[in-house]
Amino acid sequence: MAHRFTYNPETCKYEPIIVTPKAFARKSFRFLTVTFILGVVGLIYYNTQYPLLDEVRLAKENQNLKYDWQLINSKLKATSEELAKLEDKDDHNYRVILGMEPLSASEREAGVGGQEKASADIENPIIRAGIDYAEKIKNRLTVEIHSMNALKKQLINNQKQWAARPAIQPISNKELIQLYLVYGMRYLPQDGYSRPHNGLDFVANLNSPIYSTGDGVVTYAKGGTTYGNAVFVNHSYGFETRYAHMNRIIVAEGQQVKRGQVLGYVGSTGHSFGPHLHYEVLYQGNFVNPIGFFQRDLTNIEYEKLISNAHGGAEALD
Ligand SMILES: [Zn+2]
């Protein structure tokens, strides 16, 4: 046992302090008790006042993740709303203009259900719902892109169709002297019988220009029949126009022509009673009244002129 010493002035010596085992045990016990109590109190205080450092860091990280997630979700929602506007415009605007049916709900939802979801392995329900939402937007977007491509195709087709369709007068109002609106069966007193007049007669001076009323291909350009010198134009989409009694033809069979292009000049060749253009429109091989194929393009003044020039009687110039 190690001894502690004390100085004895009487003996002038350092003498060991004798500590009895009992006293030592008492002292040790007191020391341990105080230490233990202080330790317990300190631990309780620390645990109640200070969360673990890791916990603090994780809580902060968690909060930040929540903010980020809210941001992502709000952006997804905004994207979905923009897409919904586009889908609505597509269905109720573009498709109506282009004469197409709107997409059905099942077409819009195409590819959304059925297949295994990309989020199947994700445990967190909030994250899983978010990923499903994003996936749904992606599928809607794919459907919309296909729809836009179909619209574009239809638009190009419609533009071609509009360009091809007979839609203007074959004789300009500047040149037009008189328009005979006789169409259909009419009685010919000089012949003593009725026969159809399948077109309209535009009276104009000799050699006034005759315009193609739509884009197309010249399928006939010659003389020799009751039509005299005549040009036929095939416009596709079921339409054909015929221009008869020309003085001179300036296009050839097989030639592509544009709307407004000069095909030839007014004459009185074939079965005709004076310079005029006999104009016919055929749809799917049947004669139709050409009046429905240009009046919409005229201004009111032009239309008034057409009406006042028109003769509703039994006359026609053939
Ligand atoms: Zn005629």
Side-chain angles (χ1 to χ4, degrees):
M1 190 178 214
H3 293 285
R4 290 176 71 190
F5 295 86
T6 186
Y7 184 72
N8 188 340
E10 289 173 14
T11 62
C12 295
K13 279 184 187 169
Y14 281 99
E15 291 172 356
I17 301 168
I18 305 300
V19 180
T20 64
K22 201 177 168 187
F24 177 77
R26 198 169 56 242
K27 213 173 168 182
S28 295
F29 179 74
R30 201 168 55 230
F31 173 75
L32 285 173
T33 305
V34 169
T35 306
F36 178 76
I37 290 167
L38 281 176
V40 168
V41 168
L43 195 61
I44 289 167
Y45 181 77
Y46 180 82
N47 274 348
T48 53
Q49 297 300 313
Y50 300 101
L52 289 174
L53 282 180
D54 267 0
E55 243 173 63
V56 174
R57 192 172 54 79
L58 286 175
K60 199 169 176 197
E61 216 173 272
N62 203 18
Q63 193 59 43
N64 285 342
L65 283 173
K66 270 184 189 162
Y67 287 142
D68 288 350
W69 187 249
Q70 275 165 8
L71 189 69
I72 289 169
N73 252 335
S74 68
K75 285 201 185 294
L76 279 178
K77 199 164 173 247
T79 306
S80 175
E81 282 165 4
E82 285 301 311
L83 184 56
K85 279 186 209 163
L86 189 61
E87 288 165 341
D88 187 62
K89 252 190 202 167
D90 179 343
D91 278 342
H92 301 113
N93 205 337
Y94 305 146
R95 281 178 181 266
V96 173
I97 291 168
L98 292 171
M100 296 165 82
E101 287 291 315
L103 290 186
S104 67
S106 64
E107 281 170 307
R108 286 259 175 231
E109 292 286 316
V112 172
Q115 81 251 34
E116 174 126 350
K117 286 182 175 173
S119 64
D121 296 336
I122 291 166
E123 278 180 23
N124 186 313
I126 298 173
I127 307 279
R128 195 167 57 234
I131 287 174
D132 287 346
Y133 190 33
E135 189 77 9
K136 202 171 171 183
I137 292 172
K138 194 189 97 186
N139 287 329
R140 279 168 59 204
L141 199 56
T142 306
V143 171
E144 188 50 38
I145 287 165
H146 283 305
S147 176
M148 285 284 166
N149 285 336
L151 286 175
K152 192 177 162 192
K153 216 168 141 187
Q154 181 76 15
L155 183 64
I156 290 166
N157 191 50
N158 280 16
Q159 279 171 336
K160 274 191 198 158
Q161 207 171 332
W162 289 329
R165 188 183 166 88
I168 61 165
Q169 281 182 199
I171 299 281
S172 150
N173 275 326
K174 279 192 307 198
E175 317 280 347
L176 186 66
I177 296 169
Q178 210 157 38
L179 172 60
Y180 288 87
L181 287 174
V182 179
Y183 177 83
M185 290 302 289
R186 47 88 203 249
Y187 179 70
L188 297 166
Q190 69 271 34
D191 297 334
Y193 59 86
S194 294
R195 66 185 185 87
H197 185 248
N198 294 320
L200 300 181
D201 291 332
F202 291 79
V203 180
N205 286 323
L206 193 72
N207 291 325
S208 298
I210 296 165
Y211 304 101
S212 178
T213 56
D215 293 3
V217 181
V218 175
T219 54
Y220 179 98
K222 58 188 171 205
T225 68
T226 54
Y227 277 128
N229 294 326
V231 170
F232 297 178
V233 177
N234 180 0
H235 301 282
S236 305
Y237 308 101
F239 288 107
E240 184 190 322
T241 50
R242 295 179 178 178
Y243 310 79
H245 313 308
M246 289 185 184
N247 191 33
R248 196 155 63 90
I249 296 170
I250 62 161
V251 289
E253 283 174 22
Q255 191 179 332
Q256 292 270 353
V257 290
K258 288 282 178 192
R259 176 180 292 145
Q261 185 171 335
V262 177
L263 302 173
Y265 298 94
V266 169
S268 190
T269 56
H271 196 268
S272 171
F273 302 101
H276 77 287
L277 167 72
H278 173 87
Y279 174 60
E280 293 175 353
V281 176
L282 291 91
Y283 181 62
Q284 292 181 339
N286 300 312
F287 292 106
V288 290
N289 192 337
I291 193 74
F293 291 90
F294 58 83
Q295 59 184 1
R296 283 181 201 159
D297 282 354
L298 302 178
T299 64
N300 283 343
I301 295 165
E302 285 167 337
Y303 191 66
E304 284 301 317
K305 186 176 176 188
L306 186 142
I307 296 299
S308 66
N309 285 344
H311 271 219
E315 277 180 282
L317 297 181
D318 277 57

